[in-house]
Structures are given as structure tokens and as C-alpha cells.
Amino acid sequence: MSVDHSVPPRTHVVTSGTFAAVPQGFEGGVGSLRYVIKPEFQTVPAVGDASRVLFAVPRGHALLDLAAVNLADLDQATLQRDLELVSAAVLDHFPELLKIVAAFGPHGTDRQQAEALEIAERLKLTESAAAKAGGGLLGMVVIVGACLFASCFATCPPKDGGETVPPDK
């Protein structure tokens, strides 16, 4: 695995799909937290039979739907355990965390994604494994996502109106 800095950052995502919750994918998720992450579903013509349509799920992006959250479903003790699990992984297994991220990057393969799932399970960093260890990760995603959105939207649009200026300009 290499970290390729020559690839410019993805500045936008064009989508023609629908983002829908898959709550059964989050076994340990509490209530509304199971509806926060929504993968994209696209319809694509079936190979060899354009009269049939198949569902495709691009793995490069998903929607973080903070409006789906009922604040009563956020638990401080669970969030604290999530931070402990992530902290341990960062301190002791950082190269493996990079493999997980790379697997879902622009050049990630199905094999790398399967390996990423195995790594995440072993490090208790899947939602179900974290839930069994007293965490759950979804609440942490909500808190971190909200903080990042706050910093992003603090200057978008600018208070004085007008256009936003990308940070590299």
C-alpha cells in the first residue's frame, strides 16, 4: 500500500442514485443511529440485457444524515468506549488503519475491501464488534460529523455574502 499524494483531492461527487438507510447493517446500533449512514444505490442496465436494471452500490461515498438522529440515542458511556477503541487502534495499528482507508479509495479492490473488513473486525472497529465491546461507533460518527460540518459551514456561505474561496486559492 502506498500513500499517493499526486492524486488531487476529490472536490465533488456527481450522483444519479438514491441514498437509503440499511438499518439491518448495524446490528448494535441504537434506534435512530442505525439510519445515520446511507449508502448510495444506483440503477444500472444489466450487461447483455438493457431491458433489465440492477442495483449498484458505489463504495467510494455515502451520505451522513445527521437529521436522522434522535439525540436521546446518543450515550456518553458508549461514545467514551468508542474513543478508547479507536485510540487503541491508532496507537497500536496505524498502518492497518491506513489499509482500511485505502481499500475504499479510488483504487480499492473487492479483495482489499474484504481484507479491510477483517482488519476492522479484529480491531473491534466494525459497528457490531464495537457494540459487543461496549461501543458502537455510530454515535461517534454523528458527533465528529457534526463538528466537521460546523467547521465547514462556518464560512459557507461567507457572512458578508459572495462566493466561497477554496482553501488552496
Side-chain angles (χ1 to χ4, degrees):
M1 176 195 72
S2 68
V3 179
D4 188 357
H5 293 288
S6 65
V7 177
R10 182 166 66 177
T11 60
H12 64 283
V13 174
V14 176
T15 178
S16 61
T18 299
F19 292 84
V22 185
Q24 64 273 25
F26 300 106
E27 307 161 19
V30 176
S32 65
L33 297 180
R34 297 174 73 162
Y35 296 86
V36 169
I37 298 174
K38 294 178 171 67
E40 180 182 13
F41 291 85
Q42 295 177 341
T43 55
V44 295
V47 176
D49 184 358
S51 67
R52 290 186 330 119
V53 176
L54 303 173
F55 283 108
V57 182
R59 295 184 179 184
H61 58 276
L63 176 74
L64 179 59
D65 184 5
L66 296 179
V69 178
N70 177 341
L71 297 179
D73 293 334
L74 293 172
D75 176 68
Q76 184 176 359
T78 301
L79 289 167
Q80 184 173 342
R81 181 63 178 137
D82 289 339
L83 293 173
E84 292 166 355
L85 292 169
V86 171
S87 178
V90 169
L91 290 171
D92 301 331
H93 304 281
F94 192 71
E96 290 178 288
L97 293 178
L98 293 179
K99 285 183 180 181
I100 294 171
V101 174
F104 293 95
H107 306 294
T109 64
D110 289 344
R111 182 177 173 194
Q112 288 172 312
Q113 291 169 1
E115 181 185 1
L117 177 59
E118 290 174 10
I119 293 168
E121 282 284 343
R122 184 171 38 78
L123 299 179
K124 295 183 177 66
L125 293 179
T126 62
E127 184 272 337
S128 61
K132 291 172 187 162
L137 298 179
L138 291 171
M140 185 178 67
V141 168
V142 169
I143 298 293
V144 171
C147 291
L148 290 174
F149 282 171
S151 64
C152 174
F153 292 120
T155 58
C156 184
K159 294 174 186 167
D160 58 355
E163 294 184 22
T164 59
V165 178
D168 59 345
K169 300 288 178 182

